[in-house]
């Protein structure tokens, strides 16, 4: 069953965050993930949510997503993200097959 990591990001250091983006992509791919959304334009349809940036990653399983988040290769980029942006992150299960 696919799972999605959804991240709401408020960038506080744009230059540092660009450096983070350059490092993070390879780690996502290494753990079988792919970007579904990477900071595209957002439009609020209901409510008062005002996200700055949204990123959605897809992984084959919860375990792959957690392996990526906690892997050694992502340790430094993750710390960089924590320094350069405020984030909220959730994992949500997708639908299993057709």
């Amino acid at each position: 069953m696919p799972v999605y990591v959804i991240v709401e990001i408020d960038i506080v250091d744009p230059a540092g965050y660009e450096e983070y983006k350059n490092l993070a992509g390879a780690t996502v791919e290494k753990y079988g993930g792919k970007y579904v959304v990477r900071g595209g334009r957002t439009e609020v349809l209901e409510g008062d949510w005002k996200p700055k940036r949204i990123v959605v990653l897809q992984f084959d399983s919860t375990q792959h997503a957690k392996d990526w988040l906690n892997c050694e290769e992502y340790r430094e980029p993750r710390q960089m993200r924590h320094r350069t942006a405020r984030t909220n992150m959730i994992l949500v299960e997708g639908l299993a097959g057709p």
Side-chain angles (χ1 to χ4, degrees):
M1 168 184 323
V3 299
Y4 299 89
V5 175
I6 302 172
V7 191
E8 176 187 35
I9 303 166
D10 183 7
I11 300 168
V12 296
D13 173 0
Y17 189 79
E18 284 299 315
E19 186 178 344
Y20 159 76
K21 286 183 355 184
N22 291 333
L23 297 174
T27 67
V28 170
E29 290 176 15
K30 181 175 181 178
Y31 285 82
K34 68 177 180 178
Y35 286 91
V36 178
V37 173
R38 195 171 191 184
R41 186 182 72 82
T42 61
E43 178 181 346
V44 176
L45 298 177
E46 291 189 15
D48 59 3
W49 188 20
K50 295 178 178 68
K52 304 286 188 201
R53 177 182 175 83
I54 298 292
V55 172
V56 179
L57 305 171
Q58 180 181 339
F59 289 90
D60 291 336
S61 69
T62 296
Q63 190 59 54
H64 285 155
K66 289 180 177 181
D67 288 348
W68 161 73
L69 184 63
N70 297 304
C71 74
E72 182 61 29
E73 298 91 341
Y74 188 57
R75 186 171 54 110
E76 183 181 333
R78 187 178 185 186
Q79 290 171 350
M80 188 179 297
R81 177 174 49 81
H82 289 164
R83 285 191 308 270
T84 62
R86 290 186 295 271
T87 59
N88 291 305
M89 182 183 294
I90 63 169
L91 180 112
V92 61
E93 293 179 344
L95 298 176

